[in-house]
Coordinates of all heavy atoms in Angstrom, one line a residue:
M1 N -32.5 1.5 8.8 CA -31.8 1.0 7.7 C -30.3 1.5 7.8 O -30.1 2.7 8.0 CB -32.4 1.5 6.4 CG -31.8 1.0 5.2 SD -32.8 1.4 3.7 CE -31.7 2.4 2.8
Q2 N -29.4 0.7 7.6 CA -28.0 1.0 7.7 C -27.5 1.4 6.3 O -27.8 0.7 5.3 CB -27.2 -0.1 8.3 CG -27.3 -0.3 9.7 CD -26.3 -1.3 10.2 OE1 -25.8 -2.1 9.5 NE2 -26.1 -1.3 11.5
L3 N -26.7 2.5 6.3 CA -26.0 2.8 5.0 C -24.6 2.2 5.1 O -24.0 2.2 6.1 CB -25.9 4.3 4.9 CG -27.2 5.1 4.8 CD1 -27.0 6.6 4.8 CD2 -27.9 4.7 3.5
T4 N -24.2 1.7 3.9 CA -22.8 1.2 3.9 C -22.1 2.0 2.8 O -22.6 2.4 1.8 CB -22.8 -0.3 3.5 OG1 -23.5 -0.5 2.2 CG2 -23.5 -1.2 4.5
H5 N -20.8 2.2 3.2 CA -19.9 2.9 2.3 C -18.7 2.0 2.0 O -18.3 1.2 2.8 CB -19.4 4.2 3.0 CG -20.5 5.2 3.4 ND1 -21.1 6.0 2.4 CD2 -21.1 5.4 4.5 CE1 -22.0 6.7 3.1 NE2 -22.0 6.4 4.3
K6 N -18.2 2.2 0.8 CA -17.0 1.4 0.4 C -15.8 2.3 0.5 O -15.8 3.4 -0.2 CB -17.2 0.9 -1.0 CG -16.4 -0.3 -1.3 CD -16.8 -0.8 -2.7 CE -16.7 -2.3 -2.8 NZ -16.9 -2.7 -4.2
L7 N -14.8 1.9 1.3 CA -13.6 2.7 1.4 C -12.5 1.9 0.6 O -12.3 0.8 0.9 CB -13.2 2.8 2.9 CG -11.9 3.5 3.2 CD1 -11.9 5.0 2.7 CD2 -11.6 3.4 4.7
R8 N -11.9 2.6 -0.3 CA -10.8 2.0 -1.1 C -9.5 2.2 -0.4 O -9.2 3.3 0.0 CB -10.8 2.6 -2.5 CG -9.9 1.8 -3.4 CD -10.2 2.1 -4.8 NE -11.6 1.8 -5.0 CZ -12.2 1.7 -6.2 NH1 -11.5 1.9 -7.3 NH2 -13.4 1.4 -6.4
L9 N -8.8 1.1 -0.2 CA -7.5 1.2 0.5 C -6.4 0.7 -0.5 O -6.6 -0.2 -1.2 CB -7.4 0.4 1.7 CG -8.3 0.8 2.9 CD1 -8.2 -0.2 4.0 CD2 -7.8 2.2 3.4
Y10 N -5.2 1.4 -0.3 CA -4.0 1.0 -1.1 C -2.9 0.7 0.0 O -2.6 1.5 0.8 CB -3.6 2.1 -2.0 CG -4.7 2.5 -3.0 CD1 -5.5 3.6 -2.7 CD2 -4.9 1.8 -4.1 CE1 -6.5 3.9 -3.5 CE2 -5.9 2.2 -5.0 CZ -6.7 3.2 -4.7 OH -7.7 3.6 -5.5
T11 N -2.4 -0.5 0.0 CA -1.5 -1.0 1.0 C -0.1 -1.2 0.3 O 0.0 -2.0 -0.7 CB -1.9 -2.3 1.7 OG1 -3.2 -2.0 2.2 CG2 -1.0 -2.7 2.8
V12 N 0.9 -0.6 0.8 CA 2.3 -0.8 0.3 C 3.0 -1.7 1.3 O 3.1 -1.4 2.5 CB 3.0 0.5 0.2 CG1 4.5 0.3 -0.3 CG2 2.3 1.4 -0.8
V13 N 3.5 -2.8 0.9 CA 4.2 -3.8 1.7 C 5.7 -3.8 1.3 O 6.0 -4.0 0.1 CB 3.6 -5.2 1.6 CG1 4.3 -6.2 2.5 CG2 2.1 -5.2 2.0
E14 N 6.5 -3.7 2.3 CA 8.0 -3.7 2.1 C 8.5 -5.1 2.6 O 8.2 -5.5 3.7 CB 8.6 -2.6 2.9 CG 10.1 -2.6 2.8 CD 10.7 -1.5 3.6 OE1 10.1 -0.9 4.5 OE2 11.9 -1.3 3.4
V15 N 9.2 -5.8 1.7 CA 9.8 -7.1 2.0 C 11.3 -6.9 2.0 O 11.9 -6.5 1.0 CB 9.3 -8.2 1.0 CG1 10.0 -9.5 1.4 CG2 7.8 -8.4 1.1
W16 N 11.9 -7.3 3.1 CA 13.3 -7.1 3.3 C 13.9 -8.5 3.6 O 13.6 -9.1 4.6 CB 13.6 -6.1 4.4 CG 15.1 -5.8 4.6 CD1 15.9 -5.1 3.7 CD2 15.9 -6.1 5.7 NE1 17.1 -5.0 4.2 CE2 17.2 -5.6 5.4 CE3 15.7 -6.9 6.8 CZ2 18.3 -5.8 6.3 CZ3 16.8 -7.0 7.7 CH2 18.0 -6.5 7.4
R17 N 14.8 -9.0 2.7 CA 15.4 -10.3 2.9 C 14.4 -11.4 3.1 O 14.6 -12.3 4.0 CB 16.5 -10.2 4.0 CG 17.6 -9.3 3.7 CD 18.7 -9.4 4.7 NE 19.8 -8.5 4.3 CZ 20.8 -8.2 5.1 NH1 20.9 -8.9 6.2 NH2 21.7 -7.4 4.7
G18 N 13.3 -11.3 2.4 CA 12.3 -12.4 2.4 C 11.3 -12.3 3.6 O 10.4 -13.2 3.7
M19 N 11.4 -11.3 4.4 CA 10.5 -11.1 5.5 C 9.7 -9.8 5.3 O 10.3 -8.8 5.0 CB 11.2 -11.1 6.8 CG 12.0 -12.3 7.1 SD 11.0 -13.7 7.5 CE 10.6 -13.4 9.2
A20 N 8.4 -9.8 5.6 CA 7.7 -8.6 5.6 C 8.2 -7.6 6.7 O 8.2 -8.0 7.8 CB 6.2 -8.8 5.8
A21 N 8.6 -6.5 6.2 CA 9.2 -5.5 7.2 C 8.2 -4.4 7.6 O 8.3 -4.0 8.8 CB 10.5 -4.9 6.5
S22 N 7.4 -4.0 6.7 CA 6.4 -3.0 7.0 C 5.2 -3.0 6.0 O 5.4 -3.6 4.9 CB 7.0 -1.6 7.1 OG 7.4 -1.2 5.7
A23 N 4.1 -2.5 6.5 CA 2.9 -2.3 5.6 C 2.3 -1.0 6.0 O 2.2 -0.7 7.2 CB 2.0 -3.5 5.8
K24 N 2.0 -0.2 5.0 CA 1.4 1.1 5.3 C 0.2 1.3 4.4 O 0.2 1.0 3.2 CB 2.4 2.2 5.0 CG 1.9 3.5 5.5 CD 3.1 4.5 5.5 CE 2.6 5.9 6.0 NZ 3.6 6.9 6.1
N25 N -0.9 1.7 4.9 CA -2.2 1.9 4.2 C -2.4 3.4 3.8 O -2.0 4.3 4.5 CB -3.4 1.5 5.0 CG -3.4 0.0 5.2 OD1 -3.3 -0.7 4.3 ND2 -3.6 -0.4 6.4
F26 N -3.0 3.6 2.6 CA -3.3 4.9 2.1 C -4.7 4.9 1.5 O -5.2 3.9 1.0 CB -2.3 5.3 0.9 CG -0.9 5.3 1.4 CD1 -0.1 4.2 1.3 CD2 -0.3 6.5 1.8 CE1 1.2 4.3 1.7 CE2 1.0 6.6 2.2 CZ 1.8 5.5 2.2
T27 N -5.3 6.0 1.5 CA -6.6 6.1 0.9 C -6.5 6.8 -0.5 O -7.5 6.7 -1.3 CB -7.6 7.0 1.7 OG1 -7.0 8.3 2.0 CG2 -7.9 6.3 3.0
R28 N -5.4 7.3 -0.8 CA -5.2 7.9 -2.2 C -4.1 7.1 -2.9 O -3.0 6.9 -2.4 CB -4.7 9.4 -2.1 CG -5.8 10.2 -1.6 CD -5.4 11.7 -1.4 NE -4.3 12.1 -2.3 CZ -3.8 13.3 -2.4 NH1 -4.3 14.2 -1.6 NH2 -2.8 13.5 -3.2
L29 N -4.4 6.7 -4.1 CA -3.5 5.9 -4.9 C -2.2 6.7 -5.2 O -1.1 6.1 -5.1 CB -4.2 5.5 -6.3 CG -3.3 4.7 -7.3 CD1 -2.8 3.4 -6.7 CD2 -4.1 4.5 -8.5
R30 N -2.3 7.9 -5.5 CA -1.1 8.7 -5.8 C -0.1 8.7 -4.6 O 1.1 8.6 -4.8 CB -1.4 10.2 -6.1 CG -0.2 11.1 -6.3 CD -0.7 12.4 -6.7 NE -0.7 12.4 -8.1 CZ -1.2 13.4 -8.9 NH1 -1.7 14.4 -8.3 NH2 -1.1 13.3 -10.2
D31 N -0.6 8.8 -3.4 CA 0.3 8.8 -2.2 C 0.9 7.4 -2.0 O 2.1 7.4 -1.7 CB -0.6 9.1 -0.9 CG -1.1 10.5 -0.9 OD1 -0.5 11.4 -1.6 OD2 -2.0 10.8 -0.1
A32 N 0.2 6.4 -2.3 CA 0.7 5.0 -2.2 C 1.8 4.8 -3.2 O 2.9 4.2 -2.9 CB -0.4 4.0 -2.3
E33 N 1.6 5.3 -4.4 CA 2.6 5.1 -5.5 C 3.9 5.9 -5.2 O 5.0 5.4 -5.4 CB 2.0 5.5 -6.8 CG 1.0 4.5 -7.4 CD 0.3 5.0 -8.6 OE1 0.2 6.2 -8.8 OE2 -0.2 4.1 -9.4
N34 N 3.7 7.1 -4.7 CA 4.9 7.9 -4.3 C 5.7 7.3 -3.2 O 6.9 7.2 -3.3 CB 4.5 9.3 -3.9 CG 4.0 10.2 -5.1 OD1 4.3 9.9 -6.2 ND2 3.2 11.2 -4.8
Y35 N 5.0 6.7 -2.2 CA 5.7 6.0 -1.1 C 6.4 4.8 -1.6 O 7.6 4.6 -1.2 CB 4.6 5.7 0.0 CG 5.2 5.0 1.2 CD1 6.0 5.7 2.1 CD2 5.0 3.7 1.4 CE1 6.6 5.1 3.2 CE2 5.5 3.0 2.5 CZ 6.3 3.7 3.4 OH 6.9 3.1 4.5
M36 N 5.8 4.1 -2.5 CA 6.4 2.8 -3.1 C 7.6 3.2 -3.9 O 8.7 2.5 -3.7 CB 5.4 2.1 -4.0 CG 5.9 0.8 -4.5 SD 4.6 -0.1 -5.5 CE 4.5 1.0 -6.8
R37 N 7.6 4.3 -4.6 CA 8.8 4.7 -5.4 C 9.9 5.1 -4.5 O 11.1 4.7 -4.7 CB 8.4 5.9 -6.3 CG 7.8 5.4 -7.6 CD 7.8 6.6 -8.6 NE 6.7 7.5 -8.4 CZ 5.5 7.3 -8.8 NH1 5.1 6.2 -9.4 NH2 4.5 8.2 -8.6
R38 N 9.6 5.8 -3.4 CA 10.7 6.2 -2.5 C 11.3 4.9 -1.8 O 12.5 4.9 -1.6 CB 10.1 7.1 -1.4 CG 10.0 8.5 -1.8 CD 9.7 9.3 -0.6 NE 8.6 8.7 0.2 CZ 7.6 9.4 0.7 NH1 7.5 10.7 0.6 NH2 6.6 8.7 1.4
L39 N 10.5 3.9 -1.5 CA 11.0 2.7 -0.9 C 11.9 1.9 -1.8 O 12.9 1.3 -1.4 CB 9.9 1.8 -0.4 CG 9.2 2.2 0.9 CD1 8.1 1.2 1.2 CD2 10.1 2.3 2.1
R40 N 11.6 1.9 -3.1 CA 12.3 1.2 -4.1 C 13.7 1.8 -4.4 O 14.6 1.1 -4.9 CB 11.5 1.0 -5.4 CG 10.4 0.0 -5.3 CD 9.8 -0.3 -6.6 NE 8.9 -1.4 -6.5 CZ 8.1 -1.8 -7.4 NH1 8.0 -1.2 -8.6 NH2 7.3 -2.9 -7.2
Q41 N 13.8 3.1 -4.2 CA 15.1 3.7 -4.5 C 16.2 3.2 -3.6 O 16.0 3.1 -2.4 CB 15.0 5.2 -4.3 CG 14.2 5.9 -5.4 CD 14.0 7.4 -5.1 OE1 14.4 7.9 -4.1 NE2 13.5 8.1 -6.1
G42 N 17.3 2.8 -4.2 CA 18.4 2.3 -3.4 C 18.3 0.9 -2.9 O 19.1 0.5 -2.0
R43 N 17.3 0.2 -3.3 CA 17.1 -1.2 -2.8 C 17.7 -2.2 -3.8 O 17.7 -2.0 -5.0 CB 15.6 -1.5 -2.7 CG 14.9 -0.6 -1.8 CD 14.5 -1.4 -0.5 NE 13.7 -0.5 0.3 CZ 14.0 -0.2 1.5 NH1 15.1 -0.7 2.1 NH2 13.2 0.6 2.2
N44 N 18.1 -3.3 -3.3 CA 18.5 -4.4 -4.1 C 17.2 -5.3 -4.4 O 16.8 -6.1 -3.6 CB 19.5 -5.3 -3.4 CG 20.0 -6.5 -4.2 OD1 19.5 -6.7 -5.3 ND2 20.8 -7.3 -3.6
L45 N 16.6 -5.0 -5.5 CA 15.3 -5.6 -5.7 C 15.4 -7.1 -6.1 O 14.4 -7.8 -6.3 CB 14.5 -4.8 -6.8 CG 14.1 -3.4 -6.4 CD1 13.4 -2.7 -7.6 CD2 13.2 -3.5 -5.2
A46 N 16.7 -7.6 -6.2 CA 16.8 -9.0 -6.4 C 16.6 -9.8 -5.1 O 16.1 -10.9 -5.1 CB 18.3 -9.3 -6.9
E47 N 16.8 -9.1 -3.9 CA 16.5 -9.7 -2.6 C 15.4 -9.1 -1.9 O 14.7 -9.8 -1.1 CB 17.8 -9.6 -1.7 CG 19.0 -10.3 -2.2 CD 20.2 -10.2 -1.3 OE1 20.0 -9.7 -0.2 OE2 21.3 -10.5 -1.7
D48 N 15.1 -7.8 -2.1 CA 14.1 -7.1 -1.4 C 12.9 -6.8 -2.4 O 13.1 -6.9 -3.6 CB 14.6 -5.8 -0.9 CG 15.8 -6.0 0.1 OD1 15.9 -7.1 0.7 OD2 16.6 -5.1 0.1
D49 N 11.8 -6.5 -1.9 CA 10.6 -6.2 -2.8 C 9.7 -5.2 -2.1 O 9.7 -5.1 -0.9 CB 9.9 -7.5 -3.0 CG 8.9 -7.4 -4.2 OD1 9.0 -6.4 -5.0 OD2 8.1 -8.3 -4.4
V50 N 9.0 -4.4 -2.9 CA 8.0 -3.5 -2.5 C 6.8 -3.7 -3.4 O 6.9 -3.7 -4.6 CB 8.5 -2.0 -2.6 CG1 7.4 -1.1 -2.1 CG2 9.7 -1.8 -1.7
Q51 N 5.6 -4.0 -2.8 CA 4.4 -4.3 -3.6 C 3.3 -3.4 -3.2 O 3.2 -3.0 -2.0 CB 4.0 -5.7 -3.4 CG 4.9 -6.7 -4.1 CD 4.9 -6.7 -5.6 OE1 3.8 -6.5 -6.2 NE2 6.1 -6.8 -6.2
L52 N 2.4 -3.1 -4.1 CA 1.2 -2.3 -3.9 C 0.0 -3.2 -4.0 O -0.1 -3.9 -5.1 CB 1.2 -1.1 -4.9 CG -0.1 -0.3 -4.9 CD1 -0.3 0.5 -3.5 CD2 -0.1 0.7 -6.0
F53 N -0.9 -3.2 -3.0 CA -2.1 -4.0 -3.1 C -3.3 -3.0 -3.0 O -3.3 -2.1 -2.2 CB -2.1 -5.0 -1.9 CG -1.0 -6.0 -2.0 CD1 0.1 -5.8 -1.3 CD2 -1.2 -7.1 -2.7 CE1 1.2 -6.7 -1.3 CE2 -0.1 -8.1 -2.8 CZ 1.0 -7.8 -2.1
R54 N -4.3 -3.4 -3.8 CA -5.6 -2.6 -3.7 C -6.7 -3.4 -3.1 O -6.8 -4.6 -3.4 CB -6.0 -2.2 -5.1 CG -5.1 -1.2 -5.8 CD -5.4 -1.1 -7.3 NE -4.6 -0.1 -8.0 CZ -3.4 -0.3 -8.5 NH1 -2.8 -1.5 -8.4 NH2 -2.7 0.6 -9.0
S55 N -7.5 -2.8 -2.2 CA -8.6 -3.5 -1.6 C -9.6 -2.5 -1.2 O -9.5 -1.3 -1.3 CB -8.1 -4.3 -0.4 OG -7.6 -3.4 0.6
S56 N -10.8 -3.0 -0.8 CA -11.8 -2.1 -0.3 C -12.4 -2.7 0.9 O -12.4 -3.9 1.2 CB -12.9 -1.9 -1.4 OG -13.4 -3.2 -1.8
V57 N -13.0 -1.8 1.7 CA -13.6 -2.2 3.0 C -15.0 -1.5 3.1 O -15.1 -0.4 2.7 CB -12.7 -1.6 4.2 CG1 -13.4 -1.9 5.5 CG2 -11.3 -2.2 4.1
R58 N -15.9 -2.3 3.5 CA -17.3 -1.8 3.6 C -17.5 -1.3 5.1 O -17.1 -2.0 6.0 CB -18.3 -2.9 3.4 CG -18.5 -3.2 2.0 CD -19.6 -4.2 1.8 NE -19.6 -4.8 0.5 CZ -20.0 -6.0 0.2 NH1 -20.5 -6.7 1.1 NH2 -19.8 -6.5 -1.0
I59 N -18.0 -0.1 5.2 CA -18.2 0.5 6.5 C -19.7 0.8 6.6 O -20.3 1.4 5.8 CB -17.4 1.9 6.6 CG1 -15.9 1.6 6.4 CG2 -17.7 2.5 7.9 CD1 -15.1 2.8 6.3
S60 N -20.3 0.3 7.7 CA -21.7 0.6 8.0 C -21.8 1.7 9.0 O -21.0 1.9 9.9 CB -22.3 -0.7 8.7 OG -22.3 -1.8 7.8
S61 N -22.7 2.6 8.7 CA -22.9 3.7 9.6 C -24.1 3.5 10.6 O -24.9 2.6 10.4 CB -23.2 5.0 8.8 OG -24.3 4.8 8.0

């Protein structure tokens, strides 16, 4: 019998001038939110964007 675990992931995506520039995954929400805040500082959010996505992944052992 296989055990499955659910891993929660938080992905921060940086969009620069309409193109995805980077994506970084975190396992802790607090780390993802801090990273997102740092990226948003000094950005022109009318043209650029930073978004946080939540997802989960099932892992079989």
Side-chain angles (χ1 to χ4, degrees):
M1 184 169 122
Q2 286 186 340
L3 296 174
T4 59
H5 302 282
K6 204 178 215 185
L7 176 64
R8 191 162 302 193
L9 290 177
Y10 304 94
T11 304
V12 177
V13 177
E14 178 184 12
V15 176
W16 185 69
R17 295 186 181 177
M19 301 289 282
S22 68
K24 189 167 181 176
N25 291 310
F26 298 88
T27 55
R28 291 179 25 178
L29 177 59
R30 175 177 269 169
D31 293 341
E33 289 174 334
N34 288 338
Y35 181 70
M36 184 176 68
R37 275 194 281 280
R38 279 190 312 220
L39 287 179
R40 282 187 172 175
Q41 289 177 349
R43 300 253 187 235
N44 178 2
L45 294 178
E47 295 181 15
D48 304 330
D49 197 11
V50 179
Q51 291 289 321
L52 173 65
F53 297 93
R54 293 170 175 84
S55 62
S56 59
V57 177
R58 286 188 196 147
I59 300 173
S60 298
S61 57

